[in-house]
Amino acid sequence: MRDGTPGAAIDVALFRLRRIWARPLRSRKIVDPQRPVQLSNVMVVHAVHKLSLDVPEVTVGAVAEQLDVDPSTASRLVNDAIGAGFVEREESEVDARRARLVLSGRGRRVLEVVVHYRRTYLDGLIADWDEADREAFARLLTRFAEAAMAHPADLANLDQVIAEAIQEPTTLR
């Protein structure tokens, strides 16, 4: 399905990038003893780190919002990250009924090496671009990400469009 618009090109590029980016850390059906970290652990580590910069205490609920998953899924992901030794659960200093999440030393090291690896990889991809192109790409991609965050997709509408498409043949709107 090609329509030649900038939106179509961006859609294809983002889909390809998402698949490429997730591949190195994606979970496997069979546990790989050589794989020290799963993508879900890295996602939780990033969420706990980012949230810790913005809120006094990071909770499972905050991680759920950050990752855009339901609380039960966030709880499972957080428990997996705790089990892997990347996140620790501590007593809340604000409310004794809840726990706060913090990165362990191991989690901070994983965050540091993953961020360094990704940035080195990205720098390598654009190493032969001239400085103006690298700066323009960074500026425009940042602007694009900010627009996406400010105006997220209406997934309820997408669900409705998919439901209608399943029911009867239709042309795309």
Side-chain angles (χ1 to χ4, degrees):
M1 184 180 309
R2 294 177 179 248
D3 66 15
T5 67
I10 292 167
D11 179 50
V12 169
L14 289 176
F15 186 78
R16 290 176 62 202
L17 287 173
R18 188 243 173 251
R19 292 192 53 165
I20 291 167
W21 203 247
R23 187 177 303 137
L25 297 171
R26 134 174 103 223
S27 297
R28 303 246 168 102
K29 291 182 181 178
I30 300 172
V31 176
D32 181 353
Q34 301 300 325
R35 186 167 293 262
V37 64
Q38 298 296 330
L39 178 59
S40 61
N41 295 144
V42 174
M43 290 169 50
V44 170
V45 165
H46 272 279
V48 170
H49 171 71
K50 180 177 182 327
L51 288 163
S52 71
L53 301 174
D54 300 330
V55 297
E57 291 192 344
V58 179
T59 63
V60 172
V63 170
E65 285 185 35
Q66 181 70 29
L67 297 179
D68 196 23
V69 298
D70 62 79
S72 63
T73 299
S75 181
R76 181 182 53 76
L77 294 174
V78 166
N79 286 335
D80 288 349
I82 289 170
F86 302 126
V87 175
E88 296 173 347
R89 187 176 277 128
E90 295 180 350
E91 190 173 301
S92 169
E93 295 175 358
V94 176
D95 184 346
R97 296 170 294 174
R98 67 180 191 196
R100 68 186 182 125
L101 304 172
V102 296
L103 293 182
S104 66
R106 185 176 181 185
R108 284 189 298 278
R109 288 188 304 277
V110 164
L111 177 67
E112 184 178 305
V113 299
V114 167
V115 168
H116 177 75
Y117 178 87
R118 284 194 331 234
R119 290 181 182 173
T120 300
Y121 174 73
L122 292 170
D123 285 341
L125 290 176
I126 61 174
D128 62 344
W129 296 15
D130 66 51
E131 186 65 24
D133 284 349
R134 289 193 302 255
E135 289 176 5
F137 181 69
R139 180 179 49 78
L140 291 171
L141 188 58
T142 299
R143 183 173 158 194
F144 180 80
E146 288 169 354
M149 294 299 294
H151 306 284
D154 180 356
L155 298 181
N157 188 43
L158 176 61
D159 289 342
Q160 179 63 35
V161 171
I162 292 170
E164 290 171 5
I166 292 170
Q167 293 298 320
E168 59 187 72
T170 184
T171 58
L172 294 178
R173 295 178 215 167

